[in-house]
Amino acid sequence: MATIRKRSEGTYQIRVSCGYGVDGKQRNQFKSYKPEPGMTPKQIEKELTRQAVLFEEECKRGQITSAVKFEKFAEQWFEEYAKVNLRPTSYARMKQLTKRVYPAIGHKRLDKITARDIQKFVTDMLVNGKNMNTGKPLSRKTAVHHLSFISDVFSYAIRMGMLTDNPCRRVYIPKQEQDEKEIYTLDEVKKLYESLRNEPLKYQVYLLLAIYSGYRRSEMLGLEWKDIDFEHNIIHVRRTSQYTAEKGIYTDTTKTRKSKRVSKMPVSIMNLLKQFKAEQGAEAEQLGTKWEDHDRLFTKWNGEPMNPQTPFEWLKGYCERIGVPFKNIHSLRHLHASLLIFEGVDVVAVSADMGHSVVGTTLNLYSHMFQEAKARNCDAISNALSFTNEIGTEKESPDEDETEVETEQQALAL
C-alpha cells in the first residue's frame, strides 16, 4: 500500500514497500510529485491518488528494484546459483573476472547501472586493459567473458523479479582482427620427434598422443588404462581431469556431450602405449604400498593424477632445450586439426574428431585453414582437367607470306 507525505517545499513523497532485499532488509521505493501551478487542493488530491496507484503497480511489476549494489548481488548469485549450477573450473574463472568488474561497477546500484556504464567498462578494457601475466592488450574473447558474467548476474535478477531489463543486451563489443593460431610447422614437429628419445617415456607418449589425437589437455590427463582398447587400436574419451585452487585435482565430465568420442590410433602409438603401461606397472610394483592406483595414464611419481600444469612446463622446457619456439600446449591440438584439414578431411568429420559440440565452432576456429584448403582443391581440379584448356583454342592460319616462302623452299629442295 502506498503512503503519501507532504513536504515543506510544496512537493509530495510517495512511498511503496517492495518487500525484502537479498540482505533480508525491507526495501522501500520513493517517488516525488510536484503539482502543476494553479491546481486546486481537490485536483492535487485526485492526481496524488492516481500517481500513487501507478507507482505501486510499477513496483509490483518489478519495474522498480531494490537498492542493492551490483557487487553484493553478484556475490549472492555466486552462492545461490553459480556454486550449484556451474562447473568448479567455470566458477573459479567467474571469480577471477570480478577483479575487473567490481572496481568498475560493483559500487553501483543494480537498478542504476545502464548500458552506457557497461559499454564504457568494456571499451576501456579493450583500449587500456593489459593481461596481468603477459602485459599484452586484452583480447575480444576476454571482453566477451566479462560481459557474459555481468549479463548472467542481471539475468538472475530478472528471474528473481528484481528487474525487467538486461542492459547487457545493448552493449557492443568491437570485432578485432583474429590472430592466426600459433601452430608448429612440420619441420619443428620433426625436430621435436627426433630429440624425443632422450625424454622420459611418459612425455614421449604425451607429445605423440596429443598430436595424433588432438585431445584437449584435460582429456589427455583424464585418460585411464581402461579407456585403451589394445585389441582394436582405439581410445575412448570419457572424462576430464581438472584443477582449482579450492578443490585441487579432480575428475569431471567431458566439456560437452559430443566430446565423448572414440579415436582410432596407428599401431606405432599403440605399441608405445604398451611399452608405457609396462614401465608404469614396474614403477608401481617397485613402490609397493606408496603407489596410489588411480588407473590414470599420466601420473605423478606415486600414481596420483598429474597436475594440469606439468605437461605445459615440460613442453616449454623441452622446446628451450632443443631450440624450437614454444607455442603453447594447446597448439598441439591446433596442429592436429590443421593436418586433417590440409589432407582434405571435410569439416563435419574434423568437428567430430575434435569433439566440438557444433560444426560452427570448428569453422570459426579454423576458417582460414579451410579457405586455404579450398584454394588448393581448386588448383587440384584445374591440374587434373588441364586438357580442357585446349578446348576452343584454334591454331592460327599461317600468314600468306610465310606460305609463299615455305613453298619456295620446298621447290628448291626438289
Side-chain angles (χ1 to χ4, degrees):
M1 183 71 180
T3 57
I4 302 171
R5 181 172 66 89
K6 186 177 181 179
R7 290 175 170 172
S8 58
E9 61 269 22
T11 61
Y12 295 83
Q13 182 189 73
I14 305 172
R15 179 176 65 87
V16 173
S17 175
C18 295
Y20 293 86
V22 293
D23 56 0
K25 295 182 180 180
Q26 188 175 17
R27 299 302 183 192
N28 296 317
Q29 294 297 331
F30 300 90
K31 180 177 181 178
S32 294
Y33 170 71
K34 185 175 183 179
E36 294 291 333
M39 292 181 68
T40 65
K42 191 172 183 179
Q43 288 174 327
I44 292 174
E45 182 182 357
K46 184 178 180 180
E47 182 60 23
L48 270 172
T49 303
R50 191 180 76 86
Q51 290 288 339
V53 171
L54 291 174
F55 185 55
E56 190 173 13
E57 288 178 353
E58 286 179 346
C59 292
K60 287 179 179 178
R61 290 198 303 268
Q63 293 177 350
I64 306 298
T65 70
S66 59
V68 62
K69 302 294 177 62
F70 179 87
E71 180 175 348
K72 191 166 190 176
F73 185 74
E75 288 300 310
Q76 193 77 13
W77 174 81
F78 274 115
E79 285 298 315
E80 295 176 358
Y81 179 83
K83 188 171 284 188
V84 178
N85 293 282
L86 298 183
R87 293 171 181 265
T89 49
S90 299
Y91 179 89
R93 188 163 54 246
M94 290 286 193
K95 276 289 190 180
Q96 287 290 322
L97 300 179
T98 63
K99 293 180 180 180
R100 287 193 176 94
V101 174
Y102 286 172
I105 63 172
H107 61 287
K108 293 178 177 288
R109 278 174 48 168
L110 200 64
D111 58 331
K112 298 296 183 182
I113 297 175
T114 65
R116 290 189 66 184
D117 294 326
I118 303 171
Q119 183 70 67
K120 183 179 182 302
F121 165 68
V122 169
T123 303
D124 183 67
M125 187 167 50
L126 288 173
V127 174
N128 302 314
K130 299 290 183 181
N131 186 294
M132 297 175 184
N133 296 321
T134 64
K136 295 181 179 180
L138 297 176
S139 65
R140 185 178 189 273
K141 185 177 181 180
T142 300
V144 169
H145 286 160
H146 282 77
L147 180 60
S148 178
F149 162 60
I150 298 171
S151 181
D152 285 348
V153 174
F154 272 101
S155 295
Y156 185 67
I158 291 172
R159 287 199 298 275
M160 294 298 102
M162 299 175 65
L163 293 172
T164 59
D165 178 57
N166 187 339
C168 295
R169 294 188 300 109
R170 295 181 290 280
V171 175
Y172 172 73
I173 300 181
K175 290 186 177 180
Q176 295 177 337
E177 186 175 344
Q178 191 173 4
D179 295 333
E180 287 196 11
K181 291 175 173 49
E182 288 188 322
I183 302 175
Y184 291 101
T185 65
L186 290 180
D187 287 338
E188 290 169 344
V189 173
K190 185 178 179 182
K191 193 169 183 180
L192 286 171
Y193 176 75
E194 289 173 345
S195 305
L196 197 58
R197 297 177 186 274
N198 299 324
E199 298 297 312
L201 185 57
K202 64 180 176 182
Y203 294 124
Q204 295 183 39
V205 174
Y206 187 97
L207 181 65
L208 293 176
L209 185 58
I211 294 174
Y212 273 92
S213 68
Y215 295 159
R216 301 175 178 92
R217 176 169 49 176
S218 60
E219 294 170 344
M220 290 280 292
L221 296 181
L223 288 175
E224 298 180 359
W225 287 112
K226 59 176 160 288
D227 301 323
I228 315 298
D229 184 345
F230 288 104
E231 183 179 352
H232 300 96
N233 294 344
I234 59 177
I235 298 177
H236 297 263
V237 175
R238 297 186 173 110
R239 74 196 68 76
T240 61
S241 183
Q242 304 287 354
Y243 172 86
T244 64
E246 185 178 343
K247 294 189 65 172
I249 301 172
Y250 66 97
T251 301
D252 201 356
T253 58
T254 54
K255 187 174 183 180
T256 65
R257 183 176 56 84
K258 289 191 176 180
S259 293
K260 285 188 175 183
R261 57 200 187 278
V262 178
S263 303
K264 183 79 173 179
M265 288 292 145
V267 174
S268 59
I269 294 296
M270 300 306 292
N271 288 338
L272 190 63
L273 283 169
K274 289 178 182 178
Q275 183 183 346
F276 179 42
K277 192 174 190 301
E279 180 182 277
Q280 191 182 91
E283 290 176 355
E285 186 176 351
Q286 185 176 2
L287 285 174
T289 56
K290 292 182 180 179
W291 180 266
E292 296 186 16
D293 190 7
H294 294 268
D295 199 41
R296 292 286 175 88
L297 271 69
F298 301 104
T299 68
K300 299 178 182 179
W301 67 273
N302 62 346
E304 290 182 4
M306 181 182 286
N307 190 293
Q309 191 66 14
T310 301
F312 177 93
E313 296 296 342
W314 169 79
L315 182 59
K316 184 179 180 181
Y318 178 55
C319 288
E320 291 174 356
R321 289 194 294 274
I322 64 175
V324 172
F326 176 61
K327 298 178 181 178
N328 201 309
I329 197 81
H330 201 69
S331 63
L332 299 174
R333 179 168 162 84
H334 295 321
L335 171 64
H336 176 84
S338 68
L339 293 173
L340 292 178
I341 293 167
F342 284 106
E343 284 300 316
V345 180
D346 67 273
V347 63
V348 176
V350 173
S351 181
D353 184 84
M354 299 295 285
H356 290 153
S357 56
V358 292
V359 174
T361 302
T362 313
L363 286 171
N364 290 335
L365 286 173
Y366 305 108
S367 58
H368 66 285
M369 296 184 190
F370 280 107
Q371 290 170 2
E372 291 175 14
K374 188 175 181 181
R376 293 200 322 167
N377 291 344
C378 181
D379 293 337
I381 293 173
S382 297
N383 293 334
L385 301 178
S386 59
F387 59 86
T388 61
N389 296 333
E390 300 175 3
I391 297 175
T393 304
E394 297 180 359
K395 292 183 179 180
E396 295 183 0
S397 301
D399 190 278
E400 289 184 4
D401 293 337
E402 292 177 352
T403 304
E404 290 177 1
V405 171
E406 189 175 359
T407 304
E408 290 177 1
Q409 290 176 343
Q410 289 175 349
L412 287 173
L414 292 172

